[in-house]
Amino acid sequence: MPLSTFFKKPVCVVLSSILMLGFSQGTIGADLSQESSSNGVETNKEGKPANVLILMFDDMRFDSFSYRGGPVNTPNIDALAAESTRFDNAMTTTGLCSPSRAAFYTGKWGHKTGLDDNVELYHTRLAELDLSEGTLIKKAADAGYLVGHVGKWHLGARGTELRGAEIDLAQGHEPRVRFSRVYTPTDKVTKVKGYYEGKLDANNEKHEYYNTLPGSYEDTEAYKKVIAGKQMLSQMAKDDRPFFGVISFNQPHPAYRVPEPYASMFDPSELELPSNYLSKRINKPLSQGGIWWPWHDVGHMTDMDWRKARAHYYGAIAMVDRIVGELIQYAKDEGIYDDLHIVLFGDQGSMLGEHTLYDKGPYAYDELMRMPLLIRDPDIAPRIVNRQVSLIDVTPTLTGMMHLEADKDFDGHSLLPLMKDGDKAEEGQVDKALYAYEWYNGSWFGIRAIRTPEYKFVWNPGEDLDELYDLKKDPGEVTNLIDNRDYLDVRRKMIELLMSELKRTEDPALTKLQHHAKFYLKESQNEKKAH
């Protein structure tokens, strides 16, 4: 059923179905009942389980690659995209590293797993994803897969090893001792204070925002992960078992730090900038301007500083493309590429000065919410899928490909029908994406957002200001329409859709949203009566 049809239902009918009649697991409800009742996980286990390689990148936006018309020439990623299903409207679950990764590995939202904040960092209350959450890693190991993990995990020390990964390499800066002291950014506070005093780091740079690294590509931490990734692929090529391998990179996470030639690949003064670049946040939640990590304090940043940070980010994307090319070529050299299933994604996006924001924080702007997602299945013809999908959908998709046991409470659904048949596979279903931002390093926000291709509603229960955006007229999400009387009906419909999704996912936040929604729904009813 198209969203427009759903929106035409009277509010009393929709609310009664949402709040009184109950919902089947994995569906929105009886009135929107074309979604799979088994979370869309295909149970046909004919054929051999898939060999899977995950290429995960940190804080990687959706809009920088040349295959998307972006500013960075990315021939290797473009070539992979040409062999894959391109999900051009993929959304993360949370714009924060640990929660988004937990959602990927478990296929469940943080209110079910308990992992709804970063781990191992200053002021967070969490140390790890509970070991009872075995994740795709343990499921694959239990099913007889050779499981390997290289690079960033960010869900607790030794988490991959304790879940059965036989190859556990290149953990990088993450602790190897469980429940160790958290990293506290004292040095970053000092650095940012110095920038206000006019101090600069080596090369007259602000290293908390942009930095030209000494040496070359081969001297970077990212390259160490490339070497470890190749070692893992070699071990997998020699083993008769199916394999599930993850190579997870910290790049291009801020601060944007790259060596030459990537540091000077883009001229900061010639960059094309988006319409919401350095836009003032008017009628926006107070939390968006909070200093949740020292480098969020950007009052010292000049226009050129912002441009240099963006240029270094683009350089990082060019280096990421080199990484992808090397790993794919190595898989070919090892003779494992032809039947290799590859998933490439970023755990979330990142802000590069849009809305005068840096990095990530408690908000739901598209620059943070959207992410690249490519899935290569050598037995499925490449295509572009325009429907919105979620990072949480990748888990049931891989579960089907790998012949693993599906969790009954997966919150996502398999993407295999979309991969096989394109957008028509979900024709008649509401095109929607759910997003949450519960915590940031110990600070609670409780944000929930619902996105359609036309609109976005953001519920901010920790404040007295919510958000509504017309994505067609205002793709930069500059103008908050939450109190615009011309959008009262749209606002009502988006709130109802959000409530239906919270009901479907058994989110306890629904109770509070029901109370907050009463004002909006009453105002909408009064407006109808007045006319």
Side-chain angles (χ1 to χ4, degrees):
M1 178 183 295
L3 187 61
S4 58
T5 303
F6 173 61
F7 277 3
K8 292 177 183 177
K9 288 180 175 289
V11 63
C12 58
V13 173
V14 176
L15 283 178
S16 64
S17 63
I18 291 172
L19 305 178
M20 297 174 62
L21 296 180
F23 289 73
S24 301
Q25 180 69 28
T27 68
I28 294 182
D31 290 332
L32 303 170
S33 59
Q34 294 192 29
E35 300 197 16
S36 168
S37 60
S38 60
N39 301 304
V41 179
E42 297 190 358
T43 57
N44 180 9
K45 295 189 177 182
E46 296 180 1
K48 64 179 183 178
N51 292 324
V52 175
L53 175 64
I54 305 294
L55 298 177
M56 188 187 312
F57 296 90
D58 205 354
D59 292 14
M60 189 164 73
R61 294 162 58 114
F62 73 98
D63 58 355
S64 300
F65 314 100
S66 46
Y67 84 86
R68 295 298 302 269
V72 185
N73 182 31
T74 52
N76 297 304
I77 295 175
D78 292 0
L80 177 61
E83 295 183 357
S84 304
T85 301
R86 282 175 40 182
F87 292 94
D88 281 4
N89 287 289
M91 310 292 160
T92 190
T93 55
T94 307
L96 193 62
C97 294
S98 296
S100 61
R101 289 161 185 268
F104 162 68
Y105 281 108
T106 67
K108 295 180 286 188
W109 287 95
H111 62 266
K112 291 183 178 178
T113 66
L115 202 297
D116 51 12
D117 195 358
N118 266 338
V119 306
E120 303 165 336
L121 291 174
Y122 169 69
H123 212 252
T124 183
R125 72 202 196 285
L126 298 177
E128 64 182 15
L129 176 65
D130 194 282
L131 289 176
S132 65
E133 297 291 343
T135 78
L136 284 168
I137 289 177
K138 187 174 190 306
K139 286 185 178 184
D142 289 348
Y145 270 72
L146 172 60
V147 178
H149 184 277
V150 169
K152 180 172 178 175
W153 164 247
H154 212 266
L155 292 171
R158 298 176 56 218
T160 56
E161 168 198 339
L162 293 170
R163 288 172 171 84
E166 295 182 42
I167 308 170
D168 191 10
L169 303 169
Q171 290 296 311
H173 66 271
E174 297 188 58
R176 296 300 294 167
V177 178
R178 295 175 69 198
F179 310 112
S180 59
R181 286 279 191 171
V182 299
Y183 169 66
T184 304
T186 308
D187 55 333
K188 297 185 184 301
V189 174
T190 304
K191 282 281 188 71
V192 173
K193 180 181 178 182
Y195 300 149
Y196 275 100
E197 296 170 351
K199 298 177 182 178
L200 294 173
D201 304 317
N203 299 322
N204 292 320
E205 295 176 328
K206 293 182 176 179
H207 291 177
E208 295 305 312
Y209 303 87
Y210 54 92
N211 179 203
T212 302
L213 294 174
S216 66
Y217 164 73
E218 287 80 7
D219 298 310
T220 63
E221 289 297 318
Y223 186 68
K224 292 179 183 178
K225 293 179 176 63
V226 172
I227 296 300
K230 291 178 179 180
Q231 178 184 339
M232 180 183 74
L233 292 175
S234 291
Q235 290 179 249
M236 290 176 165
K238 297 173 184 175
D239 200 293
D240 292 334
R241 292 172 289 176
F243 62 79
F244 176 64
V246 179
I247 311 178
S248 177
F249 292 87
N250 296 76
Q251 284 282 21
H253 191 291
Y256 304 118
R257 298 169 176 166
V258 287
E260 294 292 4
Y262 305 103
S264 58
M265 188 171 284
F266 295 87
D267 186 341
S269 63
E270 296 182 359
L271 297 179
E272 183 176 345
L273 302 171
S275 60
N276 56 3
Y277 170 72
L278 301 188
S279 63
K280 294 182 179 180
R281 295 186 301 276
I282 299 171
N283 195 31
K284 300 299 179 88
L286 186 64
S287 61
Q288 293 186 9
I291 311 302
W292 309 113
W293 194 250
W295 60 36
H296 292 156
D297 188 352
V298 295
H300 59 87
M301 292 283 280
T302 65
D303 174 68
M304 184 52 66
D305 286 331
W306 283 109
R307 288 172 173 270
K308 288 180 178 178
R310 182 177 289 265
H312 279 68
Y313 173 83
Y314 290 164
I317 294 298
M319 194 170 87
V320 163
D321 186 71
R322 179 173 178 178
I323 288 168
V324 171
E326 283 198 26
L327 291 171
I328 287 178
Q329 185 58 52
Y330 196 82
K332 292 178 178 178
D333 294 343
E334 289 292 307
I336 60 175
Y337 184 77
D338 288 347
D339 68 346
L340 187 60
H341 296 64
I342 300 176
V343 182
L344 181 148
F345 66 92
D347 57 358
Q348 65 263 327
S350 192
M351 309 302 289
L352 294 172
E354 295 87 0
H355 308 281
T356 318
L357 294 169
Y358 177 70
D359 183 34
K360 51 189 171 288
Y363 37 78
Y365 292 123
D366 267 8
E367 292 84 3
L368 183 60
M369 185 174 173
R370 296 181 69 177
M371 46 164 262
L373 175 61
L374 304 174
I375 302 181
R376 177 189 189 264
D377 184 326
D379 298 319
I380 297 178
R383 70 172 69 247
I384 298 173
V385 170
N386 291 306
R387 284 187 66 90
Q388 295 178 121
V389 300
S390 173
L391 176 60
I392 214 165
D393 296 328
V394 180
T395 321
T397 306
L398 291 176
T399 297
M401 287 179 174
M402 298 167 66
H403 301 180
L404 307 178
E405 291 300 320
D407 282 6
K408 293 181 179 179
D409 59 347
F410 273 157
D411 289 314
H413 68 291
S414 175
L415 300 175
L416 284 171
L418 287 171
M419 294 173 65
K420 294 174 180 178
D421 298 322
D423 292 326
K424 67 180 182 180
E426 296 185 3
E427 187 176 2
Q429 298 180 30
V430 177
D431 191 352
K432 64 192 184 301
L434 180 65
Y435 177 86
Y437 216 113
E438 191 73 12
W439 298 81
Y440 187 114
N441 291 9
S443 296
W444 178 80
F445 303 96
I447 294 169
R448 299 291 186 273
I450 192 75
R451 188 187 192 280
T452 69
E454 298 82 20
Y455 302 105
K456 182 186 292 181
F457 172 74
V458 186
W459 174 49
N460 297 292
E463 301 193 37
D464 61 358
L465 179 61
D466 298 321
E467 300 163 84
L468 178 68
Y469 299 105
D470 186 329
L471 299 179
K472 297 299 183 182
K473 295 181 179 178
D474 179 27
E477 300 169 274
V478 174
T479 304
N480 183 7
L481 301 169
I482 195 65
D483 295 320
N484 188 316
R485 304 201 70 79
D486 292 336
Y487 284 82
L488 292 185
D489 199 43
V490 169
R491 185 182 69 183
R492 170 184 60 81
K493 295 163 184 175
M494 293 297 288
I495 292 171
E496 290 165 354
L497 185 59
L498 177 58
M499 287 196 290
S500 72
E501 280 294 274
L502 297 191
K503 180 70 176 180
R504 180 183 69 84
T505 59
E506 302 175 336
D507 190 334
L510 175 61
T511 301
K512 184 177 287 187
L513 176 57
Q514 288 171 356
H515 287 281
H516 289 193
K518 289 178 182 178
F519 166 79
Y520 295 127
L521 300 177
K522 183 178 180 180
E523 189 175 36
S524 180
Q525 288 175 327
N526 290 340
E527 182 74 8
K528 285 186 176 182
K529 290 179 181 178
H531 290 82

